[in-house]
Amino acid sequence: MAIEKEFIITDEKFPFKLFLFEGSAGYYKREIHWHRMIEIFAVSEGQLIFYIDNAPRSLKSGEFVIVNSNELHSIYAPSPNHTIVLQFPLELISGNCKSGGYIRFSHEKNESDPKVMDLIEQIYDRNLSRTVEDRVLIYSLFYRLCHIILSDYQINDDNKELSSRFRTLDKLSNITWYMEQNYKEPLTLQMLGEYFGYSPEHLSRMFSKYAGTTFKDMLREIRLNHILYDLEDDTLTLDEICTMHGFSNCRAMARAVKKKFGVNPSEYRRQRKG
């Protein structure tokens, strides 16, 4: 089974992404994947079954799990649930690592669990209205949450084999992070290799083994993730969107959108507007 590298774009107004789990209706499975973001799944109602490095963990109402950056995980939702998902960049807190190495958090239960659940639910409730006052409070609640997980959940990583794999994934994460920041440029495997000190052949193998894809497909996926907001903006033409997001021409963009969503960009725009 291919291991998927997931791309996450944070909210425009906050340094995190917050949403309800897409498997809320139940009978849902998300295959094994990884991403650079730290991710918290907080179950308010129902049940989820998490697999982290193939180890199952059942979550019921009032429970959550912290998924570490670059940690392989999959999710099974056997029944309807109400689960809040909070994702934020590793870089936001990585400077606070106790050991000076790779920052990780525990999956075990902790006496601070009720505080974490309460803060996540408060952030979600306030996020629904987003008044000026609520936005200020959301920042305060979010950084209070970061303080708790850094203080009470951070662990020293003494598993050499696991640490080695995480560091390999972290190298690839650094590369994909660079791609996400520079996706508008005409990136090539050769350019990335020269920048990071790898041969194009070695980089190609890294993408294939750890991301389950090719460099070209990954770059196309990054560009697609970024054009979706602009496709919903009627003030921008398709030509302008194509130029803004690094596609070589509009036909290339149209093929990519068609492959991913089954419709051309114009039809996607009409559907989203509707």
Side-chain angles (χ1 to χ4, degrees):
M1 181 185 299
I3 299 174
E4 179 187 349
K5 167 70 165 70
E6 180 181 0
F7 295 99
I8 300 169
I9 301 175
T10 56
D11 192 284
E12 292 180 346
K13 293 184 174 63
F14 300 110
F16 57 80
K17 184 176 182 180
L18 183 73
F19 58 96
L20 286 182
F21 176 50
E22 62 267 30
S24 60
Y27 306 103
Y28 176 90
K29 186 173 183 180
R30 179 72 163 89
E31 297 293 351
I32 189 167
H33 62 287
W34 62 280
H35 44 69
R36 190 174 178 83
M37 294 279 191
I38 295 170
E39 183 172 54
I40 303 177
F41 274 72
V43 181
S44 297
E45 299 174 11
Q47 179 188 21
L48 288 184
I49 300 175
F50 249 83
Y51 294 87
I52 299 180
D53 287 321
N54 292 320
R57 176 187 174 121
S58 179
L59 296 178
K60 60 180 184 296
S61 178
E63 296 181 340
F64 68 92
V65 66
I66 302 173
V67 181
N68 290 298
S69 174
N70 300 334
E71 199 161 46
L72 302 179
H73 59 287
S74 59
I75 312 155
Y76 174 53
S79 57
N81 63 89
H82 185 278
T83 302
I84 301 168
V85 184
L86 177 67
Q87 302 167 326
F88 56 93
L90 171 68
E91 289 75 14
L92 199 63
I93 57 176
S94 59
N96 298 286
C97 183
K98 290 178 180 176
S99 64
Y102 191 81
I103 189 168
R104 291 185 64 223
F105 298 101
S106 171
H107 302 130
E108 302 304 318
K109 292 183 181 297
N110 187 293
E111 62 181 13
S112 295
D113 286 1
K115 296 179 184 177
V116 172
M117 281 296 301
D118 181 59
L119 284 169
I120 291 174
E121 290 175 343
Q122 284 192 65
I123 293 170
Y124 179 75
D125 290 340
R126 295 287 180 177
N127 191 56
L128 294 177
S129 61
R130 288 203 180 191
T131 63
V132 173
E133 294 81 4
D134 282 333
R135 284 200 294 271
V136 173
L137 182 55
I138 286 170
Y139 270 104
S140 173
L141 295 170
F142 173 71
Y143 284 109
R144 194 184 310 168
L145 173 66
C146 290
H147 177 265
I148 290 175
I149 66 171
L150 279 167
S151 301
D152 299 345
Y153 294 85
Q154 188 180 166
I155 58 176
N156 291 321
D157 193 359
D158 55 1
N159 185 324
K160 293 183 178 179
E161 181 180 350
L162 192 62
S163 179
S164 176
R165 194 190 72 197
F166 280 178
R167 291 178 191 280
T168 301
L169 286 174
D170 197 45
K171 291 176 183 177
L172 185 57
S173 283
N174 287 332
I175 295 169
T176 58
W177 182 263
Y178 179 87
M179 291 169 65
E180 290 178 55
Q181 303 307 305
N182 298 277
Y183 73 94
K184 297 179 182 179
E185 305 300 322
L187 296 177
T188 66
L189 204 57
Q190 181 72 35
M191 291 167 58
L192 280 182
E194 291 175 358
Y195 187 86
F196 287 97
Y198 299 112
S199 69
E201 294 76 18
H202 182 74
L203 268 184
S204 181
R205 288 194 296 270
M206 286 179 68
F207 281 113
S208 177
K209 181 176 180 179
Y210 293 102
T213 187
T214 65
F215 161 75
K216 287 184 178 180
D217 285 345
M218 181 171 286
L219 181 58
R220 182 166 55 245
E221 184 71 14
I222 292 172
R223 286 170 173 162
L224 276 173
N225 285 337
H226 282 276
I227 70 171
L228 299 186
Y229 291 113
D230 288 336
L231 283 175
E232 297 176 22
D233 184 354
D234 287 339
T235 64
L236 295 172
T237 67
L238 295 181
D239 285 342
E240 288 172 330
I241 294 173
C242 172
T243 302
M244 288 167 55
H245 293 285
F247 283 95
S248 57
N249 54 66
C250 287
R251 283 183 297 177
M253 183 181 77
R255 285 195 301 270
V257 173
K258 178 80 171 180
K259 182 177 180 180
K260 185 174 179 67
F261 299 106
V263 294
N264 61 41
S266 298
E267 181 59 27
Y268 179 87
R269 170 174 278 181
R270 284 194 295 269
Q271 289 179 0
R272 296 297 293 176
K273 186 176 180 180

